[in-house]
Amino acid sequence: KSCGCAAHNRYRQPSQLAWRAYDRLLRDFEVVIPEERFGRYSVDFLLAEEWLGIEIDGPFHTERKEHDAHKDAELLQRFNLPIVRLIEEDLR
C-alpha cells in the first residue's frame, strides 16, 4: 500500500476538486504551481511568490492526519515551507 508521498506516487494526477481549487487560486495569486515536489513529498499547489504550500484534503485524509502532520512539519523544517490545508467541504 502506497503512503501517498511523491516517491511512491510519482504519477499522481490532481483531482477534479484540486483543479477547481487551482482555478480559484489563479484569481488571487500570480504564480501557482501544481504538484511541486520537495524531496520525497509534493504539495498540491505552491504559491511561489508567497512561498506557501497548499494541500487539498479530501475525505480520505481523515485517516492520514498523523502522516500529514509529519509531512507538514518536515516541509517547514527542511524547506521553510508552511502548508495550508483546505478541506473539501471548504471548497464547495
Side-chain angles (χ1 to χ4, degrees), residues 6 12 14 31-48 51-55 71 75 79 81 83:
R12 186 177 113 173
V31 181
V32 180
I33 303 169
E35 294 299 320
E36 184 67 15
R37 190 169 179 158
F38 294 90
R40 65 186 190 127
Y41 295 114
S42 67
V43 294
D44 290 334
F45 302 103
L46 173 66
L47 304 181
W51 198 247
L52 180 68
I54 304 289
E55 287 287 329
K71 173 184 173 177
L75 289 169
F79 301 98
L81 180 69
I83 302 297

Side-chain angles (χ1 to χ4, degrees), residues 6-24:
H8 293 116
N9 202 0
R10 290 190 177 121
Y11 303 106
R12 186 177 113 173
Q13 295 294 317
S15 67
Q16 291 292 345
L17 178 64
W19 283 119
R20 286 198 313 262
Y22 178 70
D23 289 339
R24 178 62 182 96

